[in-house]
Amino acid sequence: MFHTKANDSLILENCGYNILIAGKLTKTEINRIIKPYLLEKNITELDYLISFGEWFEIDKTISELDIPINNLVGSKDYSMLVGDFNVCDMNYINRIVKFSHGRIDFSED
């Protein structure tokens, strides 16, 4: 877990999937905290990016991460985003990803 200015963020490796649960990340936090961790763990792509942010915040995060993201999961309208990823609704995350210790519940808090 990474303690960031706005919200905490978390990177999980679960059943072979790399998952970033992203709070509101600043450019500095991505470059100072997230990217070095990804490099250290040799994570070259994210299977899931889970976020509650608005589309323009997610767009900045995706461009700053600069690694492939296969699935974007959120509770907002992300139709404005351009990218080579699937967009999934937050309500279906536990059907899509099988978490090794059961279900994970998300809230915007």
Side-chain angles (χ1 to χ4, degrees), residues 3 6 10 14 20 23-24 29-32 45 59 61 65 74 82 84 96 100-101 103-104 106 109:
H3 298 287
L10 177 70
N14 179 74
L20 170 59
K24 291 183 180 179
E29 291 168 337
I30 291 170
N31 288 317
R32 186 176 53 81
E45 72 177 13
D59 190 46
T61 299
L65 283 170
V82 177
D84 193 20
I96 298 166
S100 58
H101 295 289
R103 164 184 180 94
I104 293 185
F106 295 94
D109 298 333

Side-chain angles (χ1 to χ4, degrees), residues 60-98:
K60 289 178 189 176
T61 299
I62 290 171
S63 65
E64 196 59 42
L65 283 170
D66 196 32
I67 63 172
I69 296 168
N70 298 325
N71 299 283
L72 173 62
V73 181
S75 60
K76 310 279 188 208
D77 178 12
Y78 296 131
S79 60
M80 299 292 289
L81 290 172
V82 177
D84 193 20
F85 48 79
N86 296 319
V87 178
C88 309
D89 188 283
M90 184 69 73
N91 295 326
Y92 303 106
I93 188 62
N94 285 297
R95 292 183 200 166
I96 298 166
V97 179
K98 301 300 179 204

